[in-house]
Amino acid sequence: MKYYIIAGEASGDLHGSNLIKALKLKDPDAQIRCWGGDLMEAAGGTLVKHYKEMAFMGFIEVIMNLSAIFANIKFCKNDIAAFNPDIIIFIDYSGFNLRIAEWAKQQGFSTNYYISPQIWASREGRIQKIKKNIDAMYVILPFEKDFYEKKHDFPVHFVGHPLIDAIENRGEINEKSFREANKLDNSKPIIALLPGSRKQEVKKMLMTMLSVTDDFPDYYFVIAGAPSLDNEFYAPFLKNTNVGFVSNKTYALLSVSHAALVTSGTATLETALFKVPQVVCYKANWISYQIAKRIITLEYISLVNLIMDKEIVRELIQDDLTTKNLKNELAKILEGSSREDQLRAYDQLEQKLGGRGASGKVAQLIVENA
């Protein structure tokens, strides 16, 4: 069969690549055309558009790039029509994908959504478009099944979280070799800095994260560079001798880290699954934040706290993200009871997420129901 997969971010590229591998196992003759990144291409998909060309964050940034977004939508529709797939699979990236889904449904294509739009966080009214335009939904968070089925009478498949597979399938890391290969300090425990993957958010987050480095001279801070950004972009942030850098090696970095400062998003869950105590950070464009806080109804912003439905990790949001607060919260998780409490909660979190095999389950359901 012919599959068309659309992912628009680094995390979607990761999960899309594992889905492509699983689809090829279930359907050896699969022809796969995709929007995504290097991982999806390496897994065997024919890459049409790289997510680096689509990384617009926040309300203001989106408005400033509307012409590029509309051009991508038009190109995507034309490319789908030319390829004429048996199945279209959308991965997260809801602003773009829901628009394509509406058109695709009208054209008679089979529409499948893997990794649900976060309508439980904001703009819940989008459920009407989903019910109208999506043939099958595969959700990865345990509370999403009740949200869709009990609250909105829309049947979905809970397949477990693909991060469990992605993390368990990684190669073993020798810490000494990793440090030497990346020219990292060999004598101090590492505090990982995960500032995000888009230029706008990285610029906002890194300066505050780095502002506490002098307060913790016994630790070595390492910035996790995103695959979507060139190494040169990070150069201005590497002037402190107590700060290192690795590019596109976040999992390896987390596997050898003692603690982490993490920009809210999928990285909070990844950090928890690596059993690394963390402080969650978030600061947006002022106007974007004012708009967002009026439409987002959640009590928490990190996936860790949302899944556990209580505060497991400390969240420093917008005006609360100060050097003083960050210093205090980081100190709490370096040793002592707060650190141990987080680690115990991480074990409970992993149990809630279900077992391994999310990609395989999705691929099996898609092929069976085609």
Side-chain angles (χ1 to χ4, degrees):
M1 289 192 297
K2 296 166 70 175
Y3 305 84
Y4 200 101
I5 305 176
I6 306 174
E9 299 172 306
S11 60
D13 182 34
L14 171 64
H15 303 319
S17 69
N18 288 326
L19 178 59
I20 288 173
K21 294 172 186 175
L23 283 171
K24 285 183 171 292
L25 288 174
K26 304 293 182 184
D27 180 6
D29 296 323
Q31 299 177 52
I32 300 173
R33 194 166 175 84
C34 61
W35 293 46
D38 300 339
L39 296 177
M40 292 174 72
E41 186 173 35
T46 300
L47 189 64
V48 180
K49 180 82 71 170
H50 202 288
Y51 66 79
K52 290 181 182 180
E53 300 177 51
M54 305 185 290
F56 307 121
M57 175 191 176
F59 298 99
I60 301 303
E61 290 80 7
V62 167
I63 290 171
M64 292 173 61
N65 290 281
L66 278 176
S67 60
I69 293 170
F70 286 131
N72 283 336
I73 290 173
K74 181 179 179 180
F75 173 76
C76 185
K77 291 177 181 178
N78 290 337
D79 196 60
I80 291 173
F83 184 58
N84 193 28
D86 297 291
I87 294 170
I88 302 175
I89 304 168
F90 305 100
I91 300 180
D92 201 359
Y93 198 52
S94 62
F96 186 89
N97 275 335
L98 286 177
R99 286 177 172 84
I100 299 298
E102 182 175 11
W103 169 85
K105 185 66 175 178
Q106 292 170 355
Q107 306 306 308
F109 291 110
S110 173
T111 55
N112 291 247
Y113 218 119
Y114 176 39
I115 306 180
S116 162
Q118 295 181 352
I119 65 171
W120 37 264
S122 66
R123 297 165 60 201
E124 193 170 331
R126 289 177 292 171
I127 183 62
Q128 299 307 321
K129 285 189 175 182
I130 289 173
K131 293 174 76 169
K132 181 180 179 181
N133 299 316
I134 300 301
D135 295 321
M137 175 78 78
Y138 310 98
V139 301
I140 63 173
L141 298 172
F143 61 79
E144 290 179 318
K145 188 170 177 65
D146 283 349
F147 172 83
Y148 279 107
E149 296 187 344
K150 293 183 178 180
K151 188 171 184 179
H152 292 292
D153 192 30
F154 181 64
V156 299
H157 304 277
F158 172 59
V159 295
H161 207 292
L163 279 179
I164 293 176
D165 289 342
I167 290 172
E168 289 190 3
N169 290 339
R170 74 192 190 281
E172 291 297 319
I173 296 296
N174 179 285
E175 182 172 353
K176 182 179 179 181
S177 298
F178 175 75
R179 288 180 183 247
E180 290 176 351
N182 292 282
K183 298 180 174 58
L184 304 179
D185 186 295
N186 252 323
S187 63
K188 301 176 182 179
I190 288 175
I191 296 175
L193 304 181
L194 279 59
S197 60
R198 302 181 182 92
K199 285 185 178 180
Q200 299 100 320
E201 67 181 349
V202 172
K203 287 178 180 178
K204 285 183 175 67
M205 305 306 303
L206 261 182
M207 292 308 297
T208 304
M209 289 180 172
L210 292 170
S211 69
V212 302
T213 55
D214 290 341
D215 295 300
F216 299 93
D218 294 331
Y219 293 86
Y220 187 61
F221 293 77
V222 181
I223 299 170
S228 56
L229 300 175
D230 296 331
N231 290 358
E232 291 77 15
F233 171 79
Y234 295 92
F237 304 104
L238 300 174
K239 297 176 181 179
N240 190 319
T241 57
N242 201 36
V243 178
F245 172 79
V246 298
S247 178
N248 197 18
K249 298 175 182 176
T250 300
Y251 282 10
L253 175 61
L254 286 173
S255 72
V256 300
S257 293
H258 182 75
L261 305 180
V262 186
T263 297
S264 178
T266 303
T268 63
L269 184 56
E270 292 171 317
T271 302
L273 290 173
F274 273 98
K275 307 300 171 66
V276 179
Q278 64 184 296
V279 180
V280 176
C281 309
Y282 180 77
K283 181 173 286 188
N285 172 286
W286 185 86
I287 296 176
S288 295
Y289 177 73
Q290 294 303 315
I291 296 172
K293 76 176 185 179
R294 286 164 173 77
I295 64 174
I296 295 176
T297 57
L298 300 175
E299 186 173 355
Y300 307 108
I301 65 168
S302 69
L303 282 173
V304 175
N305 292 342
L306 285 169
I307 293 167
M308 296 300 291
D309 197 25
K310 60 182 178 180
E311 186 179 73
I312 301 301
V313 297
R314 185 75 167 91
E315 299 179 352
L316 297 178
I317 305 171
Q318 207 66 9
D319 292 339
D320 288 336
L321 183 57
T322 65
T323 300
K324 179 181 178 181
N325 288 342
L326 196 56
K327 174 185 173 182
N328 290 339
E329 296 302 327
L330 177 56
K332 291 177 184 177
I333 61 169
L334 292 179
E335 58 184 26
S337 60
S338 292
R339 177 180 178 84
E340 296 305 316
D341 289 344
Q342 269 199 34
L343 291 173
R344 279 192 294 270
Y346 285 169
D347 291 334
Q348 299 169 11
L349 169 74
E350 190 167 2
Q351 293 175 12
K352 275 197 168 190
L353 288 175
R356 298 184 59 179
S359 301
K361 293 173 188 174
V362 174
Q364 182 70 37
L365 287 165
I366 290 174
V367 172
E368 284 180 353
N369 297 323

